């Protein structure tokens, strides 16, 4: 007799389903063998712990004994956590797109006994509504087709696999030049909502790759419109309901165009990417709002998102007590009860709290009505009120916490926290980043191979290209902050693994899965944007940095080969490859700066701090205590301090400035290098 087999899994998402009457299997050879033994089709359900509609479908269908009975009778039912197995999710989500269906989670796919998809969808209601068929209807019809139209099933499965395996010849040559990127920067501005920021329309996602490219264009081409579009977006993100004004951290996206109503789940990756972009924007503008959000979000990560052993946890759920957003929303009476009438009047005016609320009768705290910061004394008073409300909120039933440690998302947060620690001189943040890095190396790496997921002492799933790319970025960021030689060794080791197990010889680029990942039916290869950075896109910048730091030309050659591998894709869908294009800036003008300290600690610190006083997106930024820390190869080899004074050298590619000893002098040269007259 079959039964639910999820009780011994470590994934919080799978464990959410361990008591379903559905006879769930986890993905693995046993589940696939069961499909072959019983000659039943596979129902594959993919979701994640913080997914609101996954919870809805679970309550409506998977917890219903009658629906479960039908599922058990007709299918071999397999549950997958998309965060634990992003490689599987990528394959089956691409298959759904190939059917002309929009993506999303829960992903519901029907597979043959060889795990080939033949039909699917996302959320299905238990009975027909929202223009969707009822789930039981779907189950019966798919089972009927499987039984009496097996040739149709085989045809669909074969066609989908063939489509997923298509690789067009690389016929295009990438145009990596300022003129093209400058023109694109100008055109991108028109896609941004001029009032609220973000891409025009709703729902609104942070779209990091788009805004990272736009920011790089704004800086290199001195494009004030582009800079303003990014600033408008970040200001509204920071003051909208998508931001948790009490606890810190950003939700995944907003359902409206104003950033008011979020889907309340908080993901580690969104917060890492926004933290990093806010740091870059703060360096340029010295915007106090950005500084506050960076501080609050970094502290939230350390307080609420640090898992056992110091790795960073994956997510916080949108739901608590079965209701989306219940933990985060307020009614006016409770605010008055906590703060008293006088302070509540001030707070409610600032944070849009009213008797009727701004969402389903309750209030999502936001400052969109007046996003400018008030006077320091007023802001301090509001901060004290927020602390009181945060203390009250702490007594509520908390949203679910997915504490699995994902290598790729940790790489992003390590890189971001390291950046923030350097900009704001916060050793605690740097220590947290270094601790998380050590966790990954010690518990999730074996003989140069990274695992993707860890929880409760168990590693799960082989590493993907994104695990390696993001951890290389983390290693390079920490290397620049600490000068620790082991970090460069780690970055080069992981590059070698990518080269050996992920590089696709007959088309170029890194595949998402390794050549020895046995249970993925198609090795996906692409450079398109997603919610997280694409490995191929990020590796261009990583490889340029490694070339600068080591002087090994092979790294630069590989970066250029990635650009060529996806030139045809780029030509077909330019704005679908913003991350890749952002890497082109590093190919055009690879920038690095080093500050060599001396015994004069104050002068050394002033010179070191200067390079964080303006945005240098993509630049390698080194501070070394003395000449022993200078790279032994590349443009910086042999650089020395000047007559006992600390000195800085600013370089573009192989060409470096004369030694610079004054902060203003260094800033002037860096400003000229990052945006030369020919580019602007």
């Amino acid at each position: 007799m079959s039964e639910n087999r999820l009780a011994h899994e470590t994934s919080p998402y799978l464990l959410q389903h361990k008591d379903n009457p559905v006879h769930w299997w986890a993905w693995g050879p046993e589940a696939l063998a069961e499909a072959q033994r019983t000659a039943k089709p596979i129902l594959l359900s993919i979701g994640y712990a913080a997914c609101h509609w996954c919870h809805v479908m679970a309550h409506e269908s998977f917890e219903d004994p009658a629906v479960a009975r039908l599922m058990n009778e007709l299918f071999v039912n397999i549950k997958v956590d998309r965060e634990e197995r992003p490689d599987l999710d990528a394959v089956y989500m691409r298959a759904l797109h190939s059917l002309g269906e929009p993506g999303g989670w829960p992903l519901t796919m029907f597979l043959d006994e060889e795990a080939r998809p033949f039909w699917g969808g996302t959320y299905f209601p238990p009975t027909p509504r929202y223009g969707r068929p009822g789930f039981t209807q779907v189950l019966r019809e798919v089972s009927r087709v499987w039984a009496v139209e097996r040739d149709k099933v085989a045809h669909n499965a074969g066609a989908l696999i063939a489509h997923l395996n298509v690789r067009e010849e690389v016929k295009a040559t990438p145009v990596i030049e300022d003129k093209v990127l400058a023109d694109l920067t100008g055109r991108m501005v028109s896609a941004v909502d001029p009032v609220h920021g973000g891409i025009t329309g709703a729902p609104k996602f942070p779209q990091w790759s788009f805004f990272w490219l736009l920011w790089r264009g704004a800086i290199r081409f001195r494009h004030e419109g582009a800079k303003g579009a990014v600033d408008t977006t970040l200001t509204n993100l920071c003051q909208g309901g998508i931001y948790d004004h009490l606890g810190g951290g950003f939700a995944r996206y907003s359902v409206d165009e104003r950033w008011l109503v979020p889907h309340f789940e908080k993901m580690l990756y969104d917060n890492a990417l926004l933290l990093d972009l806010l740091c870059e924007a703060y360096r340029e503008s010295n915007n106090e709002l950005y500084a506050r959000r960076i501080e609050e979000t970094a502290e939230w990560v350390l307080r609420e998102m640090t898992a056992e052993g110091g790795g960073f946890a994956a997510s916080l759920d949108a739901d608590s007590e079965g209701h989306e957003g219940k933990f985060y929303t307020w009614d006016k009476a409770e605010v008055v009860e906590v703060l008293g009438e006088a302070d509540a009047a001030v707070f409610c005016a600032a944070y849009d709290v009213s008797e009727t609320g701004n969402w389903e009768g309750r209030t999502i705290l936001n400052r969109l009505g007046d996003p400018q910061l008030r006077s320091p004394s007023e802001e301090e008073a509001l901060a004290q009120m927020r602390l009181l409300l945060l203390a009250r909120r702490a007594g509520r039933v908390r949203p679910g916490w997915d504490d699995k440690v994902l290598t790729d998302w940790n790489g992003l947060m390590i890189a971001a926290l390291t950046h923030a620690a350097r900009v704001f001189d916060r050793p605690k943040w740097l220590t947290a980043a270094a601790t998380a890095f050590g966790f990954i190396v010690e518990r999730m790496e074996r003989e140069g191979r990274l695992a993707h997921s860890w929880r409760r002492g168990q590693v799960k799933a082989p590493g993907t290209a994104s695990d390696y790319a993001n951890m290389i970025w983390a290693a390079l960021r920490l290397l620049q902050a600490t000068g620790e030689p082991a970090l460069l060794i780690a970055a080069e080791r992981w590059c070698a693994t990518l080269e050996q197990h992920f590089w696709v010889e007959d088309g170029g680029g890194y595949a998402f899965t390794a050549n020895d990942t046995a249970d993925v039916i198609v090795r996906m290869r692409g450079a398109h944007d997603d919610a997280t950075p694409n490995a191929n896109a990020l590796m261009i910048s990583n490889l340029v940095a490694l070339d600068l730091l080591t002087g090994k030309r092979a790294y630069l050659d590989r970066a250029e080969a990635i650009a060529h591998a996806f030139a045809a894709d780029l030509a077909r869908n330019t704005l679908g490859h913003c991350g890749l294009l952002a890497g082109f800036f590093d190919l055009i003008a690879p920038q690095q700066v080093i500050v060599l300290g001396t015994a004069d600690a104050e002068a050394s610190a002033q010179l070191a701090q200067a390079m964080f006083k303006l945005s240098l997106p993509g630049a390698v930024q080194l501070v070394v205590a003395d000449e022993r820390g200078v790279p032994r190869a590349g443009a910086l080899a042999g650089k020395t301090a000047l007559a006992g004074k600390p000195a800085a050298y600013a370089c573009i590619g192989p060409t470096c400035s004369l030694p610079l000893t004054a902060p203003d002098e260094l800033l002037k040269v860096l400003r000229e290098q990052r945006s030369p007259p020919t580019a602007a």
Side-chain angles (χ1 to χ4, degrees):
M1 181 69 179
S2 297
E3 57 185 13
N4 188 315
R5 292 166 170 78
L6 301 182
H8 300 295
E9 294 298 312
T10 59
S11 158
Y13 175 65
L14 298 186
L15 291 172
Q16 286 174 359
H17 295 269
K18 68 181 176 62
D19 296 320
N20 293 167
V22 178
H23 296 161
W24 290 118
W25 296 73
W27 181 273
E30 296 86 359
L32 300 179
E34 178 70 3
Q36 292 175 345
R37 184 186 71 79
T38 60
K40 292 179 181 180
I42 293 168
L43 190 164
L44 176 67
S45 178
I46 302 180
Y48 57 99
C51 167
H52 172 69
W53 284 102
C54 299
H55 301 331
V56 172
M57 192 166 176
H59 295 322
E60 291 177 341
S61 294
F62 304 150
E63 294 172 8
D64 184 312
V67 177
R69 196 176 305 116
L70 195 61
M71 292 172 66
N72 298 336
E73 177 188 338
L74 302 178
F75 299 94
V76 172
N77 302 288
I78 301 179
K79 256 291 171 204
V80 167
D81 180 341
R82 71 171 293 259
E83 295 170 359
E84 193 172 77
R85 291 302 304 264
D87 47 358
L88 296 172
D89 180 63
V91 169
Y92 294 109
M93 187 62 76
R94 183 73 65 86
L96 182 66
H97 290 157
S98 300
L99 291 167
E101 295 288 330
W105 297 275
L107 174 60
T108 307
M109 292 298 289
F110 296 94
L111 322 180
D112 68 12
E113 61 270 68
E114 296 175 27
R116 301 184 307 168
F118 61 87
W119 193 76
T122 53
Y123 162 80
F124 290 104
T127 56
R129 63 175 185 265
Y130 312 124
R132 297 171 183 262
F135 189 46
T136 54
Q137 249 181 294
V138 168
L139 296 175
R140 288 192 172 96
E141 178 59 14
V142 171
S143 179
R144 184 195 69 76
V145 171
W146 174 263
V148 303
E149 298 182 46
R150 191 66 66 87
D151 55 339
K152 183 177 178 181
V153 169
H155 173 77
N156 278 13
L160 280 172
I161 293 298
H163 183 77
L164 294 177
N165 275 312
V166 165
R167 273 192 202 134
E168 295 188 22
E169 286 185 50
V170 179
K171 296 176 182 175
T173 300
V175 182
I176 307 171
E177 59 184 42
D178 279 325
K179 183 177 183 300
V180 173
L181 292 170
D183 176 66
L184 182 62
T185 298
R187 288 190 288 120
M188 288 172 72
V189 174
S190 65
V192 179
D193 183 330
V195 177
H196 308 295
I199 305 296
T200 298
K204 271 200 166 99
F205 290 81
Q207 301 278 22
W208 176 83
S209 292
F210 181 96
F211 287 100
W212 178 232
L213 174 61
L214 190 57
W215 182 257
R216 297 207 67 167
I219 295 300
R220 182 157 181 81
F221 307 123
R222 303 190 187 101
H223 197 300
E224 291 303 315
K227 190 183 292 184
V230 177
D231 279 329
T232 298
T233 298
L234 291 177
T235 296
N236 283 281
L237 274 164
C238 286
Q239 295 291 46
I242 193 171
Y243 184 73
D244 179 359
H245 290 266
L246 300 185
F250 294 87
R252 190 165 73 93
Y253 71 96
S254 168
V255 302
D256 66 298
E257 65 175 6
R258 296 180 57 225
W259 305 106
L260 172 64
V261 181
H263 240 330
F264 290 87
E265 66 260 41
K266 292 184 189 175
M267 317 302 290
L268 186 70
Y269 65 83
D270 282 317
N271 285 280
L273 295 169
L274 286 170
L275 195 61
D276 201 63
L277 183 56
L278 281 165
C279 280
E280 208 64 62
Y282 172 79
R283 290 169 62 165
E284 191 68 14
S285 65
N286 206 31
N287 186 324
E288 178 62 22
L289 173 62
Y290 298 167
R292 288 169 183 258
R293 297 297 177 260
I294 291 163
E295 164 85 23
E296 292 159 0
T297 299
E299 289 298 319
W300 165 74
V301 171
L302 269 59
R303 183 180 69 248
E304 296 190 28
M305 298 302 286
T306 304
E308 176 192 344
F312 297 122
S315 67
L316 281 168
D317 206 333
D319 296 9
S320 54
E321 300 182 76
H323 296 282
E324 184 184 11
K326 185 171 183 179
F327 183 76
Y328 297 102
T329 56
W330 295 81
D331 60 53
K332 186 173 180 179
E334 190 176 7
V335 174
V336 173
E337 181 188 336
V338 173
L339 299 181
E341 290 282 355
D343 281 352
V346 174
F347 186 88
C348 290
Y351 285 91
D352 189 27
V353 181
S354 65
E355 296 287 355
T356 55
N358 55 27
W359 179 67
E360 298 183 357
R362 291 178 64 80
T363 291
I364 299 167
L365 301 180
N366 74 91
R367 294 180 66 172
L368 291 169
D370 182 12
Q372 301 307 310
L373 292 179
R374 302 183 178 189
S375 70
S377 61
E378 289 174 298
E379 288 296 336
E380 177 56 32
L382 288 171
Q384 294 305 312
M385 297 176 204
R386 291 198 305 272
L387 285 174
L388 293 172
L389 290 168
L390 180 64
R392 167 62 70 92
R393 194 178 79 176
R396 297 177 180 175
V397 175
R398 293 187 61 81
W401 187 48
D402 188 332
D403 62 340
K404 67 176 177 290
V405 177
L406 301 173
T407 300
D408 52 350
W409 295 5
N410 269 255
L412 297 177
M413 185 55 78
I414 292 163
L417 268 182
T418 301
H419 188 189
R422 299 186 82 190
V423 172
F424 292 94
D425 190 21
R426 298 297 295 272
K428 180 173 74 167
W429 299 350
L430 185 62
T431 298
T435 299
F437 187 91
F439 179 97
I440 302 293
V441 171
E442 291 160 19
R443 305 199 193 190
M444 300 180 69
E445 184 186 16
R446 295 290 180 274
E447 298 177 356
R449 302 298 296 273
L450 290 165
H452 172 68
S453 177
W454 179 97
R455 187 170 186 261
R456 294 184 176 175
Q458 293 186 45
V459 292
K460 294 273 183 159
T464 68
S466 289
D467 293 312
Y468 291 91
N470 295 3
M471 285 302 295
I472 290 166
W473 190 27
L476 292 173
R477 280 282 182 85
L478 279 169
L479 172 68
Q480 293 169 61
T482 67
E484 176 56 53
L487 293 161
L488 181 60
I489 293 169
E492 293 203 85
R493 178 172 72 244
W494 293 329
C495 272
T497 301
L498 276 174
E499 193 68 19
Q500 181 180 354
H501 292 288
F502 291 84
W503 186 258
V504 179
E505 288 295 344
D506 61 349
Y510 297 110
F512 190 55
T513 49
N515 53 13
D516 55 1
T517 301
D519 62 349
V520 178
I521 58 173
V522 175
R523 291 183 74 205
M524 306 299 290
R525 168 191 163 277
H528 55 276
D529 299 328
D530 206 339
T532 54
N534 184 283
N536 283 291
L538 188 54
M539 280 306 296
I540 290 181
S541 296
N542 285 342
L543 289 161
V544 170
L546 281 164
D547 169 62
L548 293 174
L549 289 164
T550 66
K552 296 176 182 176
R553 172 73 199 195
Y555 288 129
L556 189 57
D557 291 342
R558 185 52 90 209
E560 291 171 347
I562 293 172
H564 281 270
F566 299 104
D569 295 341
L570 191 57
R572 277 192 301 273
N573 180 12
T574 302
L575 284 180
H577 293 81
C578 290
L580 192 73
L581 288 162
F584 285 10
F585 283 89
D586 296 320
L587 288 170
I588 291 170
Q591 187 174 19
Q592 63 179 330
V593 55
I594 189 169
V595 173
L596 282 77
T598 65
D600 187 342
E602 185 176 347
S604 300
Q606 287 177 354
L607 199 57
Q609 289 162 5
M611 67 175 164
F612 293 104
K613 300 299 184 187
L614 80 166
S615 177
L616 297 175
V620 171
Q621 299 159 84
L622 296 165
V623 179
V624 297
D626 53 48
E627 289 157 16
R628 288 172 295 180
V630 175
R632 296 180 183 178
L636 292 174
K639 301 301 184 195
T640 61
L642 201 63
K645 292 182 178 180
Y649 295 86
C651 314
I652 295 289
T655 305
C656 295
S657 69
L658 295 170
L660 306 164
T661 56
D664 289 348
E665 191 181 33
L666 172 60
L667 283 170
K668 180 174 181 290
V669 171
L670 289 173
R671 194 171 277 111
E672 290 169 353
Q673 285 185 344
R674 73 176 188 172
S675 184
T678 52

